[in-house]
Amino acid sequence: MSNIDTAARTAAEKSPVHCVWDAKATLGEGPCWVAREQAIYWVDIKQHQLHRLCTVTDQRRSWHIPDQLTALAPRRNGGFIGTLRDGFALLEIPQLGDRVHIKKLGTPEQEAAGNRFNDGKVDAKGRFWAGSMDDDEAKPTGSLYRLDGDCSWQHIDDNYIITNGPTFSPDGHTLYHTDTLARTIYAFDVTSDGRVGNKRVFFQFDESSGFPDGMTVDEEGCLWVCHFFGWGITRISPKGNIVGRLELPVSNVTSCTFAGDRLETLYITTARKGLTEEQLLAQPLAGGLFRYEPKVRGLAAGIFSG
C-alpha cells in the first residue's frame, strides 16, 4: 500500500459516516431515493443485483437482474425508468416475489457493441438523462442522452470514455456532467424544453483526487462529488470552489443521494472493483452502502414523467 493510501485510510477511519449495509458490492452505484416508499434503491452493476433498503424499518431486499441494470429512477405513474447495458427500459419491481419485470424501450447504440450505459438521473421536468461508456474503459465512445416523457430519446453530447454523474442546479438551468477519466466536470446551460448549450469546464481535478464519479446537488447548489480511488466526497460551490470534504473508510466511492423526509441524510454507494486482496483486507467495508448526516439538505429527486 502506498504512503498516500495509508494516509488517506488513516484519515478515513475517523470519518463520521456509518455503513448501513455491508453488501460487498463489486460495483455499487446509482442510489435512488423513492419518497413514496421511504426506501433507497441501488445497484451492483457487475453482479446484476438490485438492492432496496427501507429507511424506516431497515428491511432489505435484493433482486437478480438478468441484464446489467446501471441506473434507475421512479416514474410518475408507478414503477421505474432505468438503463440496462444496451439502453433504456421500464421496470416493475414487485413487493412480493423475486422477478423484476422489464420492458425495453430501445437501444440507442446498436453499433457500439463494446459500450454500456452507466449513470442516469431525472431532472425537475421529469426527463431522464443518462450516459454510455466504453466497457473496457479505453475508447471515447460514450455519449449523453435525454429520454423524454414520451420515451423518445435525444443524443446530447459525446466523446466520453466514462460518463458519470448527471445532476442539476436547484433552478434546473444548469446540467453538470462528468468525464471521469479526464477528471473533468462539465456544466451546460439547459432550456425549459431540454436543449443544452454553452458547454464549459466547471471543475478539473488533479491526479491525487482519484476519479470523479457520481454526484448530487444540495439545496445551496453545491455539488457533492464522489471519488473512485479517492477515499471520499468533495463539496464544490456553484462558483467552482471546494467548500468541504467528507472522508470515507473505503477508497472507491461511487455515488450519493439525499434521502429522508427532510432530505437531510446522504446515502453513499461504494465498490470493491479494482482493489487487490491486500487492499480489501485493509478496507473490509468496501462495497457497502453508507449513511452520513450533513448540515445541509438535498433537493427532491426528479420523477420520470413517462
Side-chain angles (χ1 to χ4, degrees):
M1 183 177 294
S2 70
N3 291 335
I4 293 175
D5 282 349
T6 301
R9 183 165 65 88
T10 300
E13 286 171 351
K14 302 176 182 179
S15 171
V17 302
H18 303 281
C19 184
V20 295
W21 192 339
D22 183 13
K24 293 182 168 47
T26 300
L27 185 55
E29 279 281 7
C32 168
W33 170 242
V34 182
R36 64 196 180 205
E37 298 181 22
Q38 296 289 288
I40 289 284
Y41 285 83
W42 57 292
V43 299
D44 182 346
I45 296 175
K46 294 298 184 180
Q47 296 300 323
H48 296 226
Q49 291 283 319
L50 170 64
H51 301 298
R52 178 186 185 272
L53 172 69
C54 177
T55 60
V56 176
T57 65
D58 198 39
Q59 181 185 32
R60 307 171 189 184
R61 285 208 61 190
S62 298
W63 297 266
H64 176 75
I65 308 295
D67 203 335
Q68 284 183 317
L69 177 63
T70 70
L72 77 164
R75 295 175 60 201
R76 179 181 58 195
N77 296 323
F80 293 80
I81 185 69
T83 43
L84 304 174
R85 178 183 177 87
D86 62 354
F88 298 102
L90 302 177
L91 299 95
E92 295 292 338
I93 303 172
Q95 295 303 303
L96 298 174
D98 297 323
R99 182 183 177 188
V100 175
H101 298 276
I102 297 173
K103 178 182 178 182
K104 292 188 176 184
L105 298 177
T107 54
E109 300 185 338
Q110 294 184 30
E111 297 180 357
N115 273 15
R116 71 164 173 84
F117 270 81
N118 195 37
D119 209 353
K121 193 168 294 181
V122 176
D123 67 16
K125 297 286 188 179
R127 301 172 295 224
F128 186 49
W129 302 71
S132 63
M133 60 174 280
D134 174 21
D135 205 16
D136 290 333
E137 303 179 7
K139 299 177 182 178
T141 55
S143 293
L144 174 65
Y145 297 87
R146 187 192 74 233
L147 185 74
D148 295 331
D150 62 359
C151 293
S152 64
W153 61 77
Q154 300 292 327
H155 179 271
I156 301 298
D157 197 24
D158 54 25
N159 201 38
Y160 296 85
I161 298 177
I162 301 176
T163 60
N164 247 312
T167 194
F168 311 92
S169 60
D171 64 9
H173 296 321
T174 304
L175 161 70
Y176 300 101
H177 190 234
T178 297
D179 186 338
T180 290
L181 291 191
R183 295 186 171 92
T184 303
I185 299 176
Y186 294 104
F188 300 76
D189 294 338
V190 183
T191 64
S192 59
D193 61 358
R195 289 174 294 151
V196 303
N198 189 26
K199 179 182 180 181
R200 64 234 182 237
V201 173
F202 172 73
F203 197 90
Q204 180 76 56
F205 290 97
D206 60 30
E207 292 185 8
S208 66
S209 301
F211 297 94
D213 206 308
M215 57 187 174
T216 192
V217 172
D218 63 32
E219 63 181 356
E220 297 178 0
C222 293
L223 279 70
W224 292 69
V225 183
C226 298
H227 296 267
F228 203 94
F229 292 139
W231 293 93
I233 299 175
T234 301
R235 186 174 183 238
I236 304 175
S237 75
K239 294 184 178 180
N241 300 315
I242 293 178
V243 293
R245 166 75 181 180
L246 175 65
E247 303 288 346
L248 269 80
V250 298
S251 63
N252 295 347
V253 186
T254 56
S255 193
C256 60
T257 193
F258 284 92
D261 290 335
R262 301 175 62 249
L263 299 172
E264 73 283 8
T265 303
L266 192 71
Y267 282 86
I268 306 160
T269 53
T270 66
R272 296 165 66 86
K273 178 179 178 287
L275 298 179
T276 65
E277 290 299 322
E278 181 183 6
Q279 289 172 324
L280 288 172
L281 286 173
Q283 304 175 43
L285 296 178
L289 178 69
F290 291 82
R291 182 183 67 212
Y292 171 65
E293 304 294 335
K295 296 180 180 179
V296 65
R297 293 190 293 179
L299 303 174
I303 299 177
F304 183 61
S305 60

